[in-house]
Amino acid sequence: MFIDLHVHYYPGITIDAWKMGYQGLVLVRSSEESPSNLKGSKKLLINNKNSDTHGMDLSSKISTFEGVEIRAKNPEDLKRKIQKFRMRTDVLLVHGGDLKVNRAAVEDPRVDVLAHPYRGRRDSGFNHVLAKKAAENNVAVEINIGYLLRNRNHRRQKVLAQFRELVKLKSKFHFPMVITTGARSLYDLRSPLDLMALSKCFGMDKESSFFALSTVPKAITVNSQLKHNLISSGVRLLE
Amino acid sequence: MKLKILPTHLREKKRYLAFEAISQLPLKREDVISLLWDTSLHLYGVCGTSKFDLWLVKTWNCPFTGDYRIRGIIRCRRESLNEVRAILPTVTRFNGKKVVFYTRGISGTINSAVKKFIKLKEEDE
């Protein structure tokens, strides 16, 4: 069962993803959008059902979840936004790239995914300290293939090197890792089996790339309910 | 004089990879070939690409509303199947317009690749 953990909604996404071989999608919205919109991605899907799927019923074949990508200026801002959005959504992603935000994200067990910690950087934005924290708090680190494909030539090789560094850290510290497409249109979607073949280019073996596309995202979507009540690791709020 | 062809056990084993390309511009066979070669050279270089024995067997145009779709079959060496498969997701643009390739399936003969992945019945679409 393949799940893409980071896609943005557009009309017809479910049928495209299903044809490519996905059985699950997490429709991600930015935290900057107005709060009334945040609950809407699933609603949009239901409203546009017929035009999206050409009249076919795909709900049994492909499951959809909602996600929020938090854009934070600093760790305090991040904390506040996690508090705000954790209860409202299935999957919580953090827009990485800034070192302080990366650090704060992996230290918070309520966060599900740290998205592209290498974004706009020369290094991977990740080191052994953050890797240890991510493994402790069970925060997944995202490898965004869309980011690789949007860049060209020497920039692209740089991105591959950043991915390779993450994979190296992962093999030592065993934090969860997910491979996503970050798609905004049909032209950004890629078939999961093709991505498995591509992941060899940045040093992932077949087994771990399969995990990153299926088992880990599935565990995240299942555990999201548990994370709602989490205070710190091992401490859960009981009703 | 023509060379005698190799005995079967000395020939390279092949695999056939059925793909579909979706694009904003209509693609011809020549365009697909140049796209594949360019991306492969970009990703693996001359040395890597020489090992693949890459060949575009045939393409079919698919009638479809909206974007242009084309299906086709790529031949490659059996040992380098995964590397060839990794070329497909890295194709992004053609003449400044967007294009996406994805694998529909892999087969050992052209015949079964066409039957299983190219010419589908209406209800399977």
Side-chain angles (χ1 to χ4, degrees):
Chain A
M1 180 171 178
F2 291 111
I3 297 180
D4 196 336
L5 210 62
H6 189 170
V7 293
H8 302 264
Y9 175 80
Y10 69 89
I13 188 170
T14 38
I15 191 154
D16 289 334
W18 176 64
K19 274 192 175 174
M20 295 251 174
Y22 286 106
Q23 282 94 44
L25 285 178
V26 177
L27 300 164
V28 174
R29 302 196 146 216
S30 169
S31 63
E32 301 299 293
E33 286 176 49
S34 64
S36 59
N37 269 347
L38 282 167
K39 268 269 166 205
S41 46
K42 247 186 188 163
K43 231 182 256 168
L44 265 174
L45 262 186
I46 294 164
N47 287 345
N48 296 345
K49 200 167 193 178
N50 283 327
S51 63
D52 273 11
T53 58
H54 301 290
M56 273 201 283
D57 185 24
L58 283 178
S59 51
S60 59
K61 288 167 184 154
I62 187 161
S63 43
T64 49
F65 305 91
E66 280 180 41
V68 169
E69 184 181 17
I70 294 179
R71 283 168 192 263
K73 289 180 221 97
N74 49 48
E76 292 78 39
D77 193 23
L78 179 72
K79 271 241 154 69
R80 209 169 48 241
K81 280 179 176 164
I82 292 173
Q83 199 96 43
K84 189 175 167 194
F85 289 114
R86 177 68 269 188
M87 299 295 274
R88 299 193 190 175
T89 178
D90 296 332
V91 179
L92 200 72
L93 297 93
V94 175
H95 185 91
D98 183 70
L99 270 188
K100 279 183 180 159
V101 173
N102 284 355
R103 172 85 192 234
V106 292
E107 279 177 348
D108 199 316
R110 288 171 298 179
V111 175
D112 289 316
V113 181
L114 171 60
H116 42 66
Y118 40 79
R119 189 185 172 95
R121 302 186 62 81
R122 283 162 161 268
D123 55 8
S124 66
F126 218 70
N127 61 10
H128 58 288
V129 183
L130 274 76
K132 246 184 229 167
K133 286 280 175 198
E136 240 172 58
N137 296 323
N138 209 17
V139 177
V141 178
E142 180 201 37
I143 283 187
N144 195 323
I145 298 287
Y147 186 66
L148 170 75
L149 298 176
R150 274 194 292 278
N151 289 302
R152 308 217 124 242
N153 300 336
H154 76 282
R155 186 66 203 139
R156 196 180 263 194
Q157 63 87 12
K158 196 80 208 165
V159 176
L160 271 184
Q162 290 169 336
F163 286 178
R164 188 163 289 140
E165 204 169 309
L166 284 180
V167 172
K168 197 175 119 195
L169 283 168
K170 182 214 168 244
S171 61
K172 185 153 171 61
F173 293 99
H174 306 290
F175 52 84
M177 184 172 257
V178 290
I179 299 178
T180 66
T181 58
R184 285 172 191 280
S185 74
L186 162 65
Y187 295 100
D188 300 332
L189 275 176
R190 295 292 185 278
S191 134
L193 288 166
D194 289 355
L195 292 184
M196 270 172 71
L198 182 64
S199 63
K200 223 176 194 178
C201 285
F202 44 84
M204 265 181 129
D205 55 17
K206 212 173 171 182
E207 195 183 350
S208 56
S209 57
F210 178 75
F211 265 56
L213 278 159
S214 60
T215 320
V216 178
K218 194 176 179 194
I220 287 172
T221 48
V222 170
N223 286 345
S224 66
Q225 291 301 324
L226 288 177
K227 283 208 177 187
H228 280 184
N229 303 329
L230 208 63
I231 294 168
S232 72
S233 77
V235 185
R236 189 150 55 92
L237 184 73
L238 287 174
E239 297 292 314
Chain B
M1 199 188 80
K2 214 178 158 190
L3 274 179
K4 200 168 186 177
I5 65 163
L6 281 172
T8 42
H9 66 282
L10 286 177
R11 284 182 216 158
E12 292 288 358
K13 302 281 183 294
K14 302 178 194 100
R15 278 289 176 275
Y16 297 94
L17 201 147
F19 69 88
E20 182 171 304
I22 307 164
S23 63
Q24 293 179 325
L25 285 173
L27 286 173
K28 287 207 264 322
R29 183 168 187 268
E30 292 76 40
D31 303 330
V32 178
I33 292 170
S34 69
L35 264 179
L36 282 177
W37 277 102
D38 288 353
T39 1
S40 176
L41 288 172
H42 237 104
L43 193 60
Y44 297 111
V46 184
C47 179
T49 310
S50 68
K51 294 171 197 155
F52 299 157
D53 187 19
L54 206 60
W55 190 258
L56 185 70
V57 180
K58 205 181 169 185
T59 53
W60 289 263
N61 281 313
C62 303
F64 207 85
T65 49
D67 316 285
Y68 299 96
R69 293 186 184 226
I70 190 171
R71 285 179 187 170
I73 291 178
I74 300 169
R75 187 184 77 195
C76 65
R77 269 181 61 214
R78 186 182 63 183
E79 286 74 20
S80 47
L81 177 70
N82 262 323
E83 283 90 332
V84 172
R85 199 168 188 174
I87 296 171
L88 295 184
T90 59
V91 183
T92 49
R93 278 178 183 277
F94 170 68
N95 279 355
K97 294 285 179 191
K98 284 176 179 174
V99 55
V100 55
F101 279 68
Y102 73 96
T103 348
R104 291 183 63 83
I106 288 153
S107 167
T109 60
I110 298 181
N111 201 352
S112 67
V114 173
K115 252 189 222 159
K116 273 188 188 160
F117 307 118
I118 306 284
K119 292 185 175 165
L120 293 175
K121 286 176 206 142
E122 280 293 310
E123 62 258 33
D124 295 338
E125 284 286 337

